[in-house]
C-alpha cells in the first residue's frame, strides 16, 4: 500500500530531546511511521490519529505508511532516508520485521504498542499507550541492542528473518500457531488459549540442539531461543535475558508429560519456571535446532518456516529508543 498523504500541521517550537536522535523538529527529515492495519484486531490503526497528533505537538509531522505485509514494511524502511526515525506501530511481528530492515540501513527505531501481546514494547520499557510514548519522547534514550536472526531451509526464510523477542518451536510454536488462528479479541490471553488447544495437538519431539558446537539430543516439549526473552503477551521464558550481552539463551523443556509442559508455561508468566525439573538454559551465539518431525519455527509470533533452523545473534546491530525502566537493558 502507498503512503497516506497527511495535511501539514502548524509549526511548533517544542524541542524533542531524546539523545542522539538523527533528526530534529526543524529538520527536513521527517519520521517514517509504519502502521499495521490488522495487528491486534486493528489496535494500531485505531491509535494512529492520536500518535500522529502527538508527533505534531512535539514539532514534527511523520510520514504515515500503511503496511500491506511484513515484507512491504521492510521494503519501505529500506527506501527511507537512513537519518529518519523509523516508528513501528503494530504487533511484535511487525516490530521484528521493521527492526531487521532498520538494522541494515542504520536508522533508529521507535517501537510502539499496536498488537495483542506487545512483548517487545514491554521489555523496552515503552509502555502500552503509544500516544503517551510519543508525548514523552524526551524521556527516551537511544541504545544499540542485539538482534536475533533465524534461518530455515524454506525458500521464504533462506536468507533469514530478524526477531527482537524469541524464536520458538515445539509446544509453544504450536500454541502460537493455534493462537494466531483464534478470531476472538482475547488480547494477551490469545497465546494462553492457543496453549490450551496445543495440549491436544502436540505430544513432544526428539530434538537435536547444538549451541556453539555443543550437541544435545533429547526428547522434549519446546526449544525457545531468547533475545529479550518474552513472548505470548507476558510469557517470561528467559526473564534474565539482556539485549546488550551478545548472546542468546536457548531454553528447553526436556522429558516429562504434557501436564508438566502446561505447568512450566503457566509458571513462565511469572518467570518462575527456571528452577522446575526438566527446564534448561544455555547461552550461546549460535543455536541449531532439528527434530524428528516437521515442526514450525516462529520469530516474534510469525511463522518463518520449519526445522531444521539456525538462530544467531547480531550484536549491537540495531539502534533503538527505550524507556527508563527497560528490563531487557537491565534497567528497573
Amino acid at each position: 500500500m502507498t503512503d497516506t498523504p497527511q495535511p501539514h500541521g502548524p509549526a511548533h517550537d517544542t524541542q524533542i530531546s531524546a539523545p542522539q536522535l538523527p533528526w530534529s523538529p526543524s529538520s527536513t527529515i521527517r519520521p517514517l511511521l509504519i502502521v499495521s492495519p490488522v495487528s491486534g484486531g486493528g489496535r494500531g490503526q485505531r491509535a494512529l490519529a492520536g500518535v500522529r497528533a502527538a508527533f505534531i505537538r512535539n514539532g514534527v509531522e511523520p510520514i504515515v505508511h500503511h503496511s500491506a505485509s511484513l515484507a512491504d514494511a521492510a521494503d519501505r524502511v529500506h527506501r527511507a532516508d537512513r537519518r529518519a526515525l523509523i516508528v513501528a506501530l503494530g504487533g511484535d511481528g511487525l516490530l521484528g520485521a521493521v527492526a531487521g530492515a532498520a538494522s541494515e540501513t542504520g536508522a533508529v527505531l521507535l517501537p510502539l504498542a499496536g498488537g495483542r501481546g506487545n512483548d517487545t514494547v514491554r521489555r523496552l520499557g515503552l509502555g502500552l499507550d503509544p500516544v503517551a510514548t510519543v508525548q514523552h519522547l524526551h524521556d527516551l534514550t537511544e541504545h544499540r541492542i542485539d538482534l536475533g536472526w533465524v534461518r530455515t531451509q524454506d525458500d521464504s526464510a533462506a536468507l533469514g528473518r530478524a526477531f527482537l523477542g524469541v524464536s520458538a518451536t515445539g509446544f509453544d510454536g504450536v500454541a502460537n500457531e493455534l493462537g494466531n488462528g483464534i478470531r476472538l479479541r482475547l488480547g494477551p490471553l490469545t497465546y494462553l488459549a492457543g496453549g490450551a488447544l496445543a495440549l491436544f495437538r502436540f505430544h513432544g519431539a526428539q530434538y537435536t540442539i547444538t549451541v556453539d558446537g555443543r550437541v544435545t539430543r533429547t526428547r522434549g516439549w519446546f526449544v525457545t531461543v531468547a533475545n529479550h526473552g518474552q513472548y505470548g503477551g507476558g510469557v517470561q521464558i528467559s526473564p534474565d535475558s539482556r539485549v546488550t550481552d551478545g548472546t542468546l539463551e536457548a531454553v528447553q523443556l526436556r522429558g516429562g508429560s504434557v501436564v508438566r509442559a502446561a505447568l512450566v508455561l503457566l509458571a513462565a508468566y511469572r518467570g518462575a519456571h527456571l528452577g522446575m525439573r526438566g527446564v534448561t538454559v544455555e547461552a550461546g551465539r549460535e543455536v541449531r535446532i532439528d527434530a524428528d518431525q516437521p515442526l514450525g519455527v516462529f520469530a516474534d509470533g510469525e511463522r518463518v518456516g520449519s526445522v531444521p533452523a539456525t538462530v544467531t545473534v547480531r550484536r549491537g546491530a540495531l539502534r533503538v529508543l527505550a524507556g527508563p525502566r527497560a528490563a531487557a537493558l537491565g534497567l528497573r
Side-chain angles (χ1 to χ4, degrees), residues 15-24 82-85 106-109 137 140-144 319-321:
Q15 179 67 34
I16 298 177
S17 59
Q20 303 178 44
L21 277 174
W23 55 272
S24 67
R82 65 174 301 277
R83 296 168 294 172
L85 176 70
V108 175
L109 173 65
L137 274 176
L140 308 182
T141 54
E142 181 186 325
H143 302 265
R144 277 202 172 271
R319 299 165 66 198
V320 70
L321 296 185

Side-chain angles (χ1 to χ4, degrees), residues 12 37 41 55 60 79 110 112-113 115 128 134 152 160 180 192 220 242 252 261 272 279 284 327 330:
H12 293 268
F55 269 112
V60 62
R79 291 187 288 110
L110 172 60
L112 295 179
L128 297 179
V134 175
T152 73
N180 287 342
L192 189 61
R242 298 291 179 265
Q252 304 175 53
V279 177

Side-chain angles (χ1 to χ4, degrees), residues 179-196:
N180 287 342
I182 295 174
R183 299 307 175 192
L184 296 176
R185 292 186 179 180
L186 300 177
L189 297 178
T190 302
Y191 176 79
L192 189 61

Side-chain angles (χ1 to χ4, degrees), residues 119 166 191 229-238 265 268-271 273:
D119 292 288
V166 304
Y191 176 79
Q230 183 171 307
Y231 68 135
V235 179
Q236 301 178 60
I237 198 68
S238 185
L265 288 172
Y269 274 95
R270 308 186 312 276
H273 62 296

Side-chain angles (χ1 to χ4, degrees), residues 148-307:
W149 202 265
V150 56
R151 300 191 310 277
T152 73
Q153 294 181 353
D154 304 78
D155 289 342
S156 61
L159 297 178
R161 182 81 63 85
F163 67 92
L164 288 163
V166 304
S167 178
T169 189
F171 182 92
D172 31 3
V174 174
N176 202 325
E177 190 160 26
L178 293 173
N180 287 342
I182 295 174
R183 299 307 175 192
L184 296 176
R185 292 186 179 180
L186 300 177
L189 297 178
T190 302
Y191 176 79
L192 189 61
L197 295 174
L199 293 173
F200 303 96
R201 302 283 186 91
F202 184 66
H203 305 287
Q206 186 71 30
Y207 290 103
T208 300
I209 313 298
T210 306
V211 181
D212 288 351
R214 302 181 298 272
V215 181
T216 301
R217 294 179 177 87
T218 184
R219 186 158 189 85
W221 288 94
F222 63 76
V223 181
T224 300
V225 184
N227 186 32
H228 71 49
Q230 183 171 307
Y231 68 135
V235 179
Q236 301 178 60
I237 198 68
S238 185
D240 297 324
S241 285
R242 298 291 179 265
V243 291
T244 54
D245 60 6
T247 63
L248 302 168
E249 286 70 46
V251 184
Q252 304 175 53
L253 174 57
R254 303 175 181 175
S257 65
V258 68
V259 174
R260 184 191 296 178
L263 292 175
V264 165
L265 288 172
L266 285 174
Y269 274 95
R270 308 186 312 276
H273 62 296
L274 297 182
M276 297 178 70
R277 185 158 56 97
V279 177
T280 66
V281 182
E282 189 172 5
R285 296 181 179 180
E286 180 184 89
V287 181
R288 300 181 65 185
I289 308 168
D290 204 353
D292 63 351
Q293 52 190 279
L295 299 175
V297 178
F298 291 77
D300 284 336
E302 301 288 335
R303 184 177 177 127
V304 298
S306 303
V307 294

